C-alpha cells in the first residue's frame, strides 16, 4: 500500500528531530575545539540531554504516524461548528459534513442523533473539541513542546552555530503546533536563530557580523512568512476538498438509502395492486363460478327427473373445472409455496433437483458470497425467473448440462442460468408461449418490477445464458 504525503510528513515530525539533532551534534563535536570552550561544551552536553528527553516525552504524548490530521494542531486547525447529515458508522457517532468555519485541513466527525441528522462540534478522525485528532490537553502539550524546543535550539545555536540544523525545525512545526496568532512570532524567533548562525554565531561580535545579521534576518523572516502563507492557502484548499468529498459521500449514502426505500415502496405498491387484481378476479370469476355450481347442485337436488338432475350435475362439474382453471390462472403470479418454509438458496436447490429428476439433465447449483435474508418480493422474483428459465431449457433447449448460480454481491443479488442446448436468436423470440409461460419479456418484467435487470445471451447451437440482477433488499 503506497505511503501518502501526509503519512510521510507525520514520520518526519516524529523521527526528524532525532536525525537533525544527531547530525548537528556530530558536526558540533567535530568543531568543538575551534568554536567552544570546555565550559560551553559541558553546557552543550547538558542541553543535548534536555533536548533528547523533551523529544522522548513528545514522542509518547503525540499521536503515532498515520492517524491523520496535523498532530497537535492549534486553534482553528479543523475546528468548527456545523450541521451534518450522514449514516451511522457503527460506533454511535454520525459521520457528517460540517458547514462551520474550519481553518485547517480535514473533515470532522460530528455528533448527531442516531438517525444520522444533527449538529455538533467535531474535528478530525479522533473526535474532540479542538485540533485535528487531538483533545485540548494534547494541544497545550504541543505548544509547550514547541516553546521548550525553540529555547533549547536557540541556546545550542548560541553555543555552536552548527546547531542551526536542529533549530530549522521551528519553520516546519510552527503552523501545526501553535495557535494562528502565535505562528508568525514563532517563525520570527526561528529566523533570529537561523540568521545568527549564518552570520557567524550569536550574539554578533563585530559590526561586520551585525551588518550581515540584519539582511540575513530579513531574508529568513520573509522566506518563512511567504512559505507559511502558501502552506495556509494549501491547507484551505485541502479543507475545502475534504468538505466537498464529505458532502458527496453523505449525498451518495443518502441516495442509496432513498433508492432502497423506493424499491420497498414500489414493492409494497405492487403488492397492493396484486391484491386488488386478485380481489377483482375472484369476484368476477371464481366467486361467480362457485355461485353457479351451488345453484346447479341445488337445482339437481330439487328436481325429481334423473335426466334433468344429470344435466345440472354436468353443468356444475363444468363450472367447477372452469373455476379451478381460473383459480390456477389467478394465483400463478403469487409468492411461491417453496419459499414458505425455505430460504431462497434452499428453495432454488430443491427446484433445481426436482427439475433435474423430471428432465434427466445434468444440472449444477452453486451459491457464492455471504447469504443474506432477502425481501419476500425479491426472493419470489428470482425463484420465478429460475423456474421459467429452466422450463424454457426443458421445452426448447434440449440441453445435456445446465448450471444455476446465485451470487450475493455488494448491494446486489445475481441469478445466472446457463445451458448447452440448441440456443436461439433472442431477437426472434415470441414473448409468450402457447403453453402458458410468459417468456423472456415476462421474466424481464419481473426483474424490472423490483428495480432489477435481465440479460439474455444466446446463439443457435451454442446454448443460452439468462442473467438476472436485482438490488439486495433485506427482509424487513
Amino acid at each position: 500500500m503506497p505511503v501518502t504525503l501526509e503519512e510521510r510528513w507525520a514520520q518526519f515530525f516524529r523521527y526528524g528531530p532525532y536525525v537533525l539533532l544527531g547530525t548537528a551534534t556530530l558536526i558540533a563535536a567535530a568543531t568543538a575545539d575551534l568554536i567552544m570552550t570546555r565550559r560551553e561544551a559541558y553546557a552543550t552536553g547538558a542541553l543535548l540531554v534536555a533536548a533528547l528527553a523533551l523529544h522522548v516525552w513528545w514522542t509518547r504524548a503525540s499521536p503515532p504516524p498515520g492517524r491523520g490530521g496535523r498532530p497537535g494542531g492549534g486553534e482553528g486547525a479543523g475546528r468548527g461548528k456545523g450541521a451534518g447529515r450522514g449514516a451511522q458508522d457503527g460506533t454511535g457517532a454520525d459521520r457528517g459534513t460540517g458547514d462551520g468555519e474550519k481553518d485547517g485541513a480535514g473533515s470532522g466527525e460530528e455528533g448527531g442523533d442516531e438517525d444520522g441528522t444533527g449538529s455538533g462540534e467535531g474535528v478530525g478522525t479522533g473526535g474532540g473539541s479542538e485540533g485535528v485528532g487531538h483533545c485540548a490537553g494534547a494541544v497545550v502539550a504541543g505548544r509547550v513542546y514547541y516553546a521548550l524546543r525553540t529555547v533549547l535550539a536557540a541556546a545550542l545555536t548560541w553555543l555552536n552555530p552548527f546547531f542551526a540544523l536542529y533549530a530549522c525545525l521551528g519553520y516546519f512545526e510552527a503552523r501545526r503546533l501553535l495557535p494562528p496568532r502565535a505562528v508568525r512570532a514563532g517563525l520570527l524567533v526561528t529566523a533570529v536563530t537561523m540568521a545568527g548562525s549564518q552570520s557567524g554565531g550569536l550574539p554578533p561580535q563585530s559590526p561586520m557580523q551585525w551588518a550581515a545579521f540584519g539582511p540575513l534576518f530579513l531574508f529568513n523572516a520573509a522566506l518563512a512568512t511567504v512559505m507559511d502563507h502558501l502552506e495556509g492557502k494549501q491547507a484551505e484548499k485541502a479543507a475545502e476538498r475534504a468538505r466537498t468529498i464529505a458532502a458527496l459521500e453523505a449525498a451518495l449514502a443518502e441516495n442509496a438509502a432513498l433508492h432502497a426505500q423506493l424499491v420497498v415502496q414500489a414493492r409494497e405498491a405492487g403488492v397492493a395492486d396484486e391484491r386488488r387484481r386478485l380481489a377483482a378476479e375472484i369476484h368476477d370469476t371464481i366467486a361467480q363460478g362457485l355461485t353457479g355450481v351451488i345453484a346447479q347442485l341445488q337445482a339437481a337436488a330439487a328436481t325429481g327427473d334423473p335426466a334433468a338432475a344429470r344435466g345440472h350435475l354436468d353443468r356444475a362439474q363444468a363450472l367447477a373445472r372452469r373455476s379451478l382453471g381460473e383459480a390456477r390462472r389467478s394465483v400463478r403470479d403469487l409468492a411461491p409455496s417453496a419459499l414458505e418454509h425455505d430460504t431462497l438458496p434452499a428453495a432454488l436447490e430443491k427446484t433445481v433437483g426436482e427439475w433435474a429428476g423430471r428432465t434427466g439433465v445434468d444440472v449444477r447449483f452453486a451459491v457464492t458470497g455471504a447469504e443474506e435474508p432477502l425481501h419476500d418480493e425479491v426472493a419470489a422474483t428470482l425463484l420465478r425467473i429460475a423456474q421459467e428459465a429452466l422450463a424454457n431449457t426443458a421445452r426448447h433447449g434440449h440441453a445435456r448440462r445446465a448450471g444455476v448460480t446465485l451470487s450475493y454481491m455488494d448491494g446486489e443479488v445475481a441469478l445466472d442460468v446457463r445451458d448447452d442446448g440448441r440456443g436461439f436468436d433472442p431477437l426472434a423470440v415470441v414473448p409468450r408461449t402457447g403453453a402458458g409461460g410468459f417468456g423472456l419479456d415476462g421474466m424481464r418484467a419481473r426483474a424490472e418490477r423490483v428495480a432489477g435487470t435481465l440479460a439474455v445471451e444466446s446463439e443457435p447451437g451454442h446454448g443460452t445464458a439468462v442473467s438476472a440482477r436485482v438490488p439486495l433488499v433485506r427482509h424487513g
Side-chain angles (χ1 to χ4, degrees), residues 191-208:
V192 170
T193 303
M194 298 298 294
S197 170
Q198 294 162 359
S199 61
L202 290 173
Q205 300 295 327
S206 65
M208 182 62 69

Side-chain angles (χ1 to χ4, degrees), residues 144-427:
V144 171
Y145 160 76
Y146 184 89
L148 293 177
R149 195 206 57 75
T150 301
V151 171
L152 288 172
L156 288 169
T157 305
W158 186 293
L159 296 172
N160 191 313
F162 289 105
F163 278 104
L165 289 173
Y166 172 63
C168 71
L169 281 171
Y171 287 147
F172 301 98
E173 294 181 331
R175 175 169 284 274
R176 64 186 292 272
L177 295 179
L178 296 179
R181 294 183 299 272
V183 170
R184 185 163 297 179
L187 293 174
L188 291 178
V189 171
T190 303
V192 170
T193 303
M194 298 298 294
S197 170
Q198 294 162 359
S199 61
L202 290 173
Q205 300 295 327
S206 65
M208 182 62 69
Q209 285 185 339
W210 277 107
F213 175 80
L216 287 171
F217 169 73
L218 293 177
F219 172 78
N220 280 276
L223 182 62
T225 302
V226 170
M227 296 302 294
D228 179 70
H229 176 74
L230 295 177
E231 183 182 359
K233 291 296 184 181
Q234 187 66 25
E236 291 178 2
K237 292 181 180 179
E240 183 64 27
R241 285 196 299 268
R243 286 193 291 269
T244 302
I245 292 173
L248 289 175
E249 290 178 346
L252 288 175
E254 186 173 358
N255 287 339
L258 290 175
H259 177 73
Q261 184 178 359
L262 288 175
V263 170
V264 173
Q265 290 177 351
R267 180 200 61 81
E268 293 175 349
V271 170
D273 290 341
E274 185 69 9
R275 287 174 177 172
R276 287 191 291 268
R277 182 187 72 82
L278 284 176
E281 290 203 9
I282 290 173
H283 177 270
D284 295 338
T285 59
I286 302 175
Q288 292 182 6
L290 292 177
T291 301
V293 170
I294 294 173
Q296 293 297 324
L297 293 177
Q298 289 175 343
T303 185
D305 185 359
R310 183 64 183 175
H312 288 303
L313 290 176
D314 290 341
R315 284 190 289 273
Q317 187 178 35
L319 284 172
R321 287 175 177 171
R322 190 178 307 122
S323 298
L324 179 60
E326 292 291 343
R328 289 173 175 170
R329 184 190 62 80
S330 298
V331 303
R332 186 169 52 200
D333 292 330
L334 288 181
S337 59
L339 292 173
E340 292 180 358
H341 306 291
D342 292 325
T343 62
L344 177 60
L348 278 174
E349 187 174 11
K350 290 182 179 179
T351 299
V352 169
E354 294 172 357
W355 182 85
R358 292 194 307 269
T359 61
V361 177
D362 181 16
V363 60
R364 296 289 185 269
F365 173 71
V367 179
T368 64
E371 180 182 345
E372 296 194 42
L374 298 178
H375 197 281
D376 294 341
E377 187 71 8
V378 174
T381 297
L382 292 176
L383 182 59
R384 288 300 194 193
I385 290 175
Q387 291 172 339
E388 181 66 14
L390 291 174
N392 289 339
T393 298
R395 285 195 298 264
H396 311 296
H398 301 287
R400 291 177 299 175
R401 293 187 302 274
V404 178
T405 303
L406 180 67
S407 303
Y408 292 86
M409 298 176 288
D410 186 15
E412 191 177 57
V413 184
L415 174 70
D416 298 284
V417 181
R418 306 166 306 281
D419 67 67
D420 63 351
R422 297 188 306 185
F424 59 92
D425 182 3
L427 299 179

